[in-house]
Amino acid sequence: MKYALFFSLLLLFSCSTSNDAVPSDNGLAGIWRLTTYCKPASNSTCTSTTVPAGKNVFVFFGNDGRFNETYENTKPVEYSFLGCGSGNYSIEGNKVRIRALCMSSLDGQLYDILSINASQLVMKPFGTGEYVFVKE
């Protein structure tokens, strides 16, 4: 009887889950290229901006929860999404929490996902304006 209780408790504790929403196979996973965004001009207005041909900002969301932002022929200050490279992410409802190297909080930042399909991701990261990405 003691052994049955011991193994039951062992099985119970070995099957516990984490509170973090670690992504698995989700529509967000993959490499996305920023095409247009609305650069905030104030708390309520923004200026629509198209990333020029030959300049690229890529964001990567891995099935394992890894996140990375990379740039091609541009500097992060010019056309970046976050401007701070790698980290991790988790999905929380219709939002994504990104924890990147440059962020001052270990909790990262929560960003709204307005829409996502096989070829396009639209986010509203800063309260005003949309960031539109296409899947690579």
Side-chain angles (χ1 to χ4, degrees):
M1 185 69 167
K2 290 180 191 178
Y3 295 112
L5 179 60
F6 173 76
F7 286 115
S8 296
L9 289 173
L10 182 65
L11 182 61
L12 176 68
F13 289 114
S14 67
C15 294
S16 66
T17 60
S18 169
N19 287 339
D20 289 340
V22 176
S24 58
D25 187 18
N26 62 65
L28 192 57
I31 298 172
W32 299 88
R33 181 175 47 86
L34 181 65
T35 59
T36 61
Y37 66 100
C38 203
K39 184 176 184 176
S42 71
N43 287 342
S44 60
T45 63
C46 60
T47 304
S48 184
T49 305
T50 300
V51 178
K55 296 185 181 219
N56 292 301
V57 176
F58 298 101
V59 292
F60 165 77
F61 294 97
N63 279 329
D64 59 357
R66 288 181 301 126
F67 168 83
N68 196 22
E69 181 179 29
T70 57
Y71 319 95
E72 183 178 88
N73 299 322
T74 189
K75 298 174 188 169
V77 72
E78 293 177 341
Y79 301 102
S80 67
F81 171 61
L82 295 175
C84 52
S86 65
N88 61 60
Y89 78 102
S90 58
I91 296 172
E92 299 179 17
N94 62 344
K95 299 175 187 260
V96 61
R97 181 173 302 278
I98 297 175
R99 296 170 202 86
L101 294 174
C102 68
M103 296 180 163
S104 60
S105 169
L106 294 177
D107 287 336
Q109 183 69 36
L110 199 56
Y111 299 104
D112 290 327
I113 298 174
L114 299 181
S115 67
I116 187 169
N117 60 41
S119 61
Q120 187 180 60
L121 166 65
V122 181
M123 297 179 70
K124 188 174 184 180
F126 304 112
T128 183
E130 297 176 351
Y131 278 57
V132 179
F133 298 85
V134 294
K135 195 147 196 182
E136 290 291 302

